[in-house]
Amino acid sequence: MDFNFTPDQLDMQKMVRDFVAKEIAPHALEMDKEGIVPSDLWKKLDEAGLLNLTVPEEYDGPGLDALSIALIYEELGKGCAGVATTTAANALASYPVVLLGSEEQKRKMFSVINDGNLAAFALTEPGAGSDAGAVATTAVKDGNEYILNGTKCFITNGGIAEIYIIFANTRKTAGIRGLTAFIVDRNTPGFSVGKEEEKMGIRASNTCELILENVCIPVENRIGREGEGFKIAMKTLDAARPFVGAVSVGLAQAAFELAVKYAKERIQFDKPIASFQLVQAMLADMAMQIEAARLLVYKACWLKDQGVPYSKESAIAKCFAADTAMKVTVDVVQVLGGYGYSKEYPAEKYMRDAKIMQIYEGTNQIQRLVIANNILY
């Protein structure tokens, strides 16, 4: 594993870092308060090429390797985890088509994303979170169409996407063996957006309920064969989890830098608190944890780019980085004391944002099961 980045990767990292410093970080607290990303920022993200990162080069995308994408998401995570989550949802939604989509499906899906639109990956339901086999949304074949009925919840980009990957069951009571993936356009009759979630963190990210009432889609919108949905979902999550880890690392890094700056400036007992060994120990622990998380993310991405198995390493990277983001941000609030608990500083936002990293795209308890299965079986 080569720890030297290419000139292109370094240039790209700097470009994103500058973009975040100018367009995202100064507005992060306002976006968190309002619970929305301004439309002009989406336009700027599109112009900067940050909405179609996983689109292959042959479909007019950047064709980036996983490590390069991770570098980008780390920088976006530093600026605002909510914005990073929304852009990463495009990657999550594109992977089922990258993996098993037909030529026609790839051109359709990627043209929508390349045009600056958002996409959404809709697996979770009120009764189906970690247990994908409990999906109750149905897809009944009727001639050359499927009729979809059901409800999805906690869907990132749910209210603002133009195209969706919907998982439904094509065989009643079949569990994961009946799970099938479909492409659904936003304007399809019978498809509607339900309530928007009022979240603790990543508030800039849109999270909504989706309602499907006799939604008719052509057979051509089915990805792969009937019953392949579970395999598609698991491979998609394997591919996307290191990017959750990258966002977690960026979030933790931003919080850490805030704590270091504050510790140098905050005077107590006629000294900056950075001179106190207990504070130094907290900062040192943060630095170690962030560096370890970053390297685990890089390794998972590197393995993916080599075309070798990486499911275990993907789960390790996501789990460790998310746990690190949570621990680091809690400790940052502690270093800042009362100011850490106040909305005057971004420390409390970092802590609220970090919690979801341990929950979405597979809870960290599920990640531990994935890791254990790779070890034991």
Side-chain angles (χ1 to χ4, degrees):
M1 184 176 179
D2 188 353
F3 288 91
N4 292 310
F5 297 123
T6 66
D8 286 345
Q9 287 173 326
L10 292 173
D11 289 344
M12 178 190 63
Q13 185 185 50
K14 183 180 185 306
M15 181 274 289
V16 179
R17 185 172 293 165
D18 292 344
F19 179 89
V20 167
K22 179 181 178 182
E23 305 290 352
I24 297 178
H27 311 292
L29 291 179
E30 182 182 355
M31 289 189 289
D32 176 74
K33 182 179 179 181
E34 299 297 327
I36 192 171
V37 175
S39 58
D40 65 324
L41 178 54
W42 291 128
K43 183 178 180 181
K44 292 174 182 177
L45 285 162
D46 177 43
E47 291 172 349
L50 298 175
L51 295 183
N52 66 340
L53 297 176
T54 53
V55 175
E57 195 171 9
E58 58 266 34
Y59 298 97
D60 300 323
L64 296 176
D65 58 280
L67 183 55
S68 296
I69 296 171
L71 292 175
I72 291 172
Y73 284 134
E74 181 178 338
E75 296 301 324
L76 290 172
K78 288 179 186 177
C80 177
V83 174
T85 294
T86 306
T87 58
N90 266 20
L92 183 66
S94 70
Y95 271 127
V97 179
V98 171
L99 293 168
L100 276 177
S102 66
E103 183 68 22
E104 180 183 347
Q105 288 170 346
K106 288 177 180 177
R107 295 197 179 281
K108 173 186 175 70
M109 182 83 175
F110 299 147
S111 66
V112 172
I113 295 175
N114 285 337
D115 284 344
N117 296 300
L118 297 175
F121 177 92
L123 175 62
T124 303
E125 297 183 2
S130 296
D131 181 9
V135 164
T137 296
T138 59
V140 178
K141 193 174 182 182
D142 182 14
N144 291 322
E145 294 181 324
Y146 281 94
I147 302 173
L148 276 60
N149 282 282
T151 302
K152 298 292 182 179
C153 67
F154 304 137
I155 304 304
T156 301
N157 292 354
I160 54 178
E162 291 296 326
I163 195 164
Y164 300 78
I165 303 298
I166 304 287
F167 288 84
N169 217 309
T170 47
R171 288 191 285 168
K172 288 184 178 179
T173 70
I176 62 173
R177 293 186 299 278
L179 203 63
T180 306
F182 300 90
I183 299 173
V184 178
D185 294 314
R186 181 185 183 89
N187 296 322
T188 306
F191 178 86
S192 61
V193 176
K195 68 172 182 177
E196 182 174 354
E197 299 295 338
E198 184 72 19
K199 305 186 301 296
M200 177 174 76
I202 57 165
R203 289 176 47 78
S205 171
N206 176 272
T207 309
C208 284
E209 176 185 60
L210 304 179
I211 301 168
L212 299 100
E213 297 177 308
N214 294 322
V215 175
C216 293
I217 57 172
V219 170
E220 291 76 20
N221 283 26
R222 185 190 69 214
I223 303 173
R225 299 189 301 272
E226 286 191 6
E228 282 194 301
F230 183 75
K231 178 178 75 174
I232 292 170
M234 294 305 102
K235 286 182 175 293
T236 293
L237 292 170
D238 275 347
R241 279 169 179 157
F243 303 149
V244 177
V247 175
S248 300
V249 169
L251 170 58
Q253 182 69 38
F256 170 69
E257 290 173 5
L258 173 65
V260 170
K261 182 176 185 295
Y262 181 86
K264 290 179 177 180
E265 296 172 351
R266 174 66 168 171
I267 304 297
Q268 291 290 277
F269 307 103
D270 299 324
K271 297 178 182 179
I273 63 172
S275 66
F276 301 140
Q277 289 182 337
L278 289 176
V279 174
Q280 291 175 359
M282 292 177 72
L283 296 174
D285 284 342
M286 292 180 207
M288 287 190 293
Q289 291 155 2
I290 293 169
E291 187 65 10
R294 181 178 288 113
L295 292 175
L296 286 170
V297 169
Y298 288 176
K299 180 182 178 182
C301 292
W302 182 81
L303 289 171
K304 181 178 186 298
D305 290 335
Q306 302 309 303
V308 298
Y310 67 101
S311 179
K312 180 184 71 174
E313 289 77 11
S314 174
I316 289 173
K318 190 271 186 189
C319 188
F320 189 88
D323 283 349
T324 292
M326 192 70 247
K327 185 176 189 316
V328 166
T329 55
V330 168
D331 286 347
V332 168
V333 170
Q334 189 70 21
V335 170
L336 269 68
Y339 291 109
Y341 203 69
S342 167
K343 288 184 179 292
E344 180 182 348
Y345 284 79
E348 59 86 31
K349 175 186 182 297
Y350 293 142
M351 189 177 78
R352 288 187 287 107
D353 287 348
K355 186 58 197 173
I356 193 61
M357 304 298 160
Q358 297 177 307
I359 297 172
Y360 66 6
E361 293 192 33
T363 67
N364 277 13
Q365 285 69 34
I366 290 294
Q367 302 311 310
R368 287 172 167 86
L369 288 178
V370 172
I371 295 163
N373 284 337
N374 275 275
I375 293 170
L376 298 172
Y377 303 108

